[in-house]
Amino acid sequence: MSAQVLSWQRVKQLPAPVWLMLWGNFFVRGSYFMVWPFLAVILYQRYELSATETGFWLTTAALTAVVAGFYAGHLSDRFGRKPLMLAGAVTGVLAFSALALADTLPLMLCCIFLATLPRALWDAPSKAWLGDLLPDSKDRELALQGLYFMVNAGAACGPVLGLWAGLSGNPHSFFITAASYGALGLGLLWLYRPGKLASSAAQTRPSHTLNFAAILQLLRQDQLFAVIILANILINFIYAHADSSLIQYLTRADFPDLVTLISSLVMVNSLIIVTCQFPLLRLLGHWPVIKRIHLGVVLLGLSQIWFALNPVDWFWGWLGAMAVLSIGEAVLFANMNVHLDQLAHPALRGSYFGAASLYAIGYSLSPLLGGLIIDVLGGPALFAISAGLCVLVLGCYTAAPRLRRPDFAAYKLPG
């Protein structure tokens, strides 16, 4: 891929719907992270839930969203992106407004489940929509890279702005997230107003009439895709240790001034992602996407080795390991989406991006399994195991191109 993927001329030529996606995701994720990370605190302070009870409900809600996201991608292939994306926006308005007003535990838990659905309904159809709008592969790569950047920028800015405005931890700030989804939905309606997108790729998007069972059968035949899904579940499992298991390990090790260390780790991760993603894309722009993924996995593995060997009381060592992990993340995660876009048949982009929601299984299971390993074997053993899993991921990506893919022609798919 040429480094021209980042040319200013290419950026300026991105159509208005792409900019809606980029800025919309920035504001939605930013407002979401103003409060969502404090939800565990709200559940404890208001309803006195234990850590285990809180973890159970949040994990169950996240896994429910995985199933919903899988099916939403399929529905967007059959019935169009617009209905699913509008449903996601409307659900976001209702769910986060309800979260702001919930005053009993059963209602709060119902709202938590509901609040995981907007992203599930929006994510796969919106990424598929980018593919529909941008026939040029370089434009699609730039848009997917930009989408990952804006989501991370929103996640980095949201908590800071929330603290500055005194909103973090205040349940009523969920209204801001609801308003962000409302603005996103109105922007989508504006773009789809009569005559606006009549001749665009979004209206001539390939469609199919395959039911969900047929899609599942097709995906089961795609051995290459199945191995990539497994590899990316493992990647998310390994990466999530930095958000959960690492904190558990440092807490149990009685690290002095733990709050300062945790805040510094979050800051290092956010700064590197926001400042390094596009310079790294320019630097590695001539590399094939699969080679970039290999590099990201290697960096992820090196960070796990560093975590495993770092003395518990070496403050700067933890920051150095997080820096290596963050560079790997900047290289890896956006290119996983680009690779998935390359694998998907044009008429099945929604279904493939929907199936990619299974990646979240790794992220969801990481706190539970990571905590168990820490309790039984200790923190260094957990990170050593994670480094070994990185080798397995590299093996999956190396073997995948030799595996069987389905005969798309047999399904009479357009495009």
Side-chain angles (χ1 to χ4, degrees), residues 26-59:
F26 172 79
F27 286 111
V28 166
R29 299 305 286 171
S31 59
Y32 172 91
F33 276 101
M34 282 183 182
V35 179
W36 191 264
F38 298 91
L39 192 58
V41 177
I42 295 171
L43 289 174
Y44 171 71
Q45 291 181 344
R46 277 194 179 185
Y47 307 109
E48 299 181 349
L49 291 190
S50 68
T52 301
E53 290 170 327
T54 299
F56 170 80
W57 288 113
L58 295 181
T59 298

